[in-house]
Amino acid sequence: MTTLDHGNDTRSRILAAAQKLFAERGYAATSLADIAGAVGLTKTAVAYHFHPKDRLAAELIAPAADDLFDFLGATFDTFSRCLDGLVTFCVRHRAVVRLMLEDIGRIDEAPPGSTGEAVRTFRDEIYAKLVGPEPTDFTRVRGWAALGALEYGMVHTMDLPEETVRQSLLELLSRWA
Amino acid sequence: MTTLDHGNDTRSRILAAAQKLFAERGYAATSLADIAGAVGLTKTAVAYHFHPKDRLAAELIAPAADDLFDFLGATFDTFSRCLDGLVTFCVRHRAVVRLMLEDIGRIDEAPPGSTGEAVRTFRDEIYAKLVGPEPTDFTRVRGWAALGALEYGMVHTMDLPEETVRQSLLELLSRWA
DNA sequence: GTAGGTCCTGTACGGGCGTACAGGACGAGG
DNA sequence: CCTCGTCCTGTACGCCCGTACAGGACCTAC
């Protein structure tokens, strides 16, 4: 499920608006007032449902956490298989992938459980998985370039079908194996 | 010349510190106080030399502007030739490429001349050049992915030699032609 | 000596941010 | 009827941001 459960209750509407704005501008650049304005409420109302602000991001990321741990826990024998898993994971949760790739490291507090603590610097974990245990100069560049290609490729093609983006990115990145 | 003229005067030291911090955290996420602290001054001193804050980014970007217009003005017959020019341009100015790819669109005012006005949304111009006049779904994804690969590949490999990064990215992106 | 320019500090202001708190509207349950 | 919990508003607070302004230290030129 790539989009949110669009319930009509206020909580869901806030989540949907926040997901959209976070993907467009990033977490730090989106204020509670922005989100509130998009839903037609005051920022205090948003703060009432999600307090503190971190919980918004945490709740958005939560459904992706399980898939993330599956990916991080798995071992891949080749670079291309690792890419396959990564692309599938990212595309499935592309609406929040920017949150995880860029902004998550600066979120101060973790969600109630311990999940958030582990997710904290997970971009670097993904990177470490991409470059493997003994990185060379080339594989370092390749690892970061792959992450950048994923983020930009996702964020700026939200209007395209999920499967189209997935196949395109898989096709492109597989040429880097 | 990829790094700044490291003169010992205060202006140059501020510029060097700002360049480093902007590349690491981005323009908006770097305050005048951060820069001042890195140089050992007060934020008012920084504001004295560069006023308003935009001028800092403008002055950093200025030397790259000429190369940028050369690239934007040129016409390339193939995708791979376009990539070649783009990679060369980006690597040469990799210290400020993040400024131009991410933050420039949100800088409120332009530098005194008209250059800043033209540079404003130049990321989209580069993108338009990459995908050409009649983009397909695949070339759209490819264009954005290429930009993301460039930015991440540059920003996170600042410690590697310029030529190494250039050759690696060129090698990688040429496989997408 | 003194006037003027450069460079920098200290202080203060307005604005946006996330947050805290009191209170009102509303419906459900005793 | 009264109470309680839910949902939301209005107001206010402290923080950090970029900026404005007055003044001090220092060097140069006349």
Side-chain angles (χ1 to χ4, degrees):
Chain A
M1 188 98 66
T2 178
T3 52
L4 229 54
D5 305 3
H6 286 96
N8 274 344
D9 50 289
T10 307
R11 263 187 74 94
S12 302
R13 283 170 50 227
I14 293 177
L15 277 174
Q19 188 180 66
K20 181 164 174 290
L21 292 175
F22 285 165
E24 286 173 6
R25 319 180 195 174
Y27 174 80
T30 305
S31 72
L32 290 185
D34 294 334
I35 302 169
V39 197
L41 293 177
T42 60
K43 65 175 178 175
T44 358
V46 178
Y48 165 78
H49 288 283
F50 303 92
H51 189 61
K53 188 191 178 191
D54 310 349
R55 302 231 177 181
L56 249 175
E59 195 144 336
L60 285 174
I61 288 178
D66 294 344
D67 280 15
L68 171 62
F69 291 133
D70 286 351
F71 171 76
L72 288 181
T75 57
F76 303 94
D77 46 355
T78 65
F79 179 77
S80 80
R81 283 189 183 257
C82 183
L83 273 182
D84 196 339
L86 181 57
V87 171
T88 302
F89 162 75
C90 284
V91 173
R92 181 175 301 154
H93 305 286
R94 61 174 168 167
V96 296
V97 73
R98 174 174 182 173
L99 272 179
M100 301 195 287
L101 279 179
E102 280 218 325
D103 306 299
I104 199 68
R106 288 155 189 157
I107 296 184
D108 302 319
E109 204 196 345
S114 60
T115 65
E117 193 58 34
V119 176
R120 182 77 56 97
T121 54
F122 96 114
R123 183 192 65 182
D124 299 305
E125 296 182 41
I126 292 185
Y127 165 76
K129 205 162 195 54
L130 273 178
V131 299
E134 293 167 359
T136 66
D137 288 356
F138 175 74
T139 59
R140 278 190 56 200
V141 176
R142 184 181 65 177
W144 285 118
L147 280 181
L150 273 174
E151 183 188 324
Y152 270 65
M154 310 263 171
V155 170
H156 293 97
T157 55
M158 286 289 195
D159 55 312
L160 296 182
E162 193 175 311
E163 189 55 24
T164 303
V165 178
R166 185 182 159 277
Q167 285 179 358
S168 299
L169 283 172
L170 209 47
E171 158 68 21
L172 288 171
L173 292 177
S174 68
R175 301 185 196 170
W176 286 4
Chain B
M1 188 97 68
T2 177
T3 53
L4 229 54
D5 305 5
H6 285 96
N8 275 345
D9 50 288
T10 307
R11 263 187 75 94
S12 302
R13 283 170 50 227
I14 294 177
L15 278 173
Q19 190 181 65
K20 181 166 174 288
L21 291 174
F22 285 165
E24 287 174 6
R25 321 180 193 173
Y27 174 79
T30 305
S31 72
L32 291 185
D34 294 334
I35 302 169
V39 197
L41 293 176
T42 60
K43 65 175 179 176
T44 355
V46 178
Y48 165 77
H49 288 283
F50 303 92
H51 190 63
K53 188 190 176 190
D54 310 348
R55 300 233 177 178
L56 249 175
E59 194 144 336
L60 285 175
I61 289 178
D66 294 344
D67 280 15
L68 169 63
F69 291 132
D70 285 352
F71 171 76
L72 287 181
T75 57
F76 303 93
D77 47 355
T78 65
F79 179 76
S80 80
R81 284 189 182 260
C82 182
L83 273 183
D84 197 342
L86 182 58
V87 171
T88 302
F89 163 75
C90 283
V91 174
R92 180 174 301 152
H93 305 286
R94 62 173 168 166
V96 297
V97 73
R98 175 175 181 170
L99 271 180
M100 300 194 287
L101 279 178
E102 280 219 326
D103 306 299
I104 199 67
R106 287 151 189 160
I107 297 185
D108 302 320
E109 202 197 345
S114 58
T115 65
E117 192 60 33
V119 176
R120 182 76 57 96
T121 54
F122 97 113
R123 184 192 65 181
D124 298 305
E125 296 182 42
I126 291 184
Y127 165 76
K129 205 164 195 52
L130 274 177
V131 300
E134 293 169 358
T136 65
D137 288 354
F138 175 74
T139 59
R140 277 191 56 200
V141 176
R142 186 180 65 177
W144 285 118
L147 281 181
L150 273 173
E151 182 187 326
Y152 270 63
M154 311 264 173
V155 170
H156 293 97
T157 56
M158 285 290 194
D159 56 311
L160 295 182
E162 192 175 312
E163 188 56 23
T164 303
V165 179
R166 187 182 157 278
Q167 284 178 359
S168 299
L169 283 172
L170 209 47
E171 159 68 19
L172 288 170
L173 292 177
S174 69
R175 301 185 196 170
W176 287 4

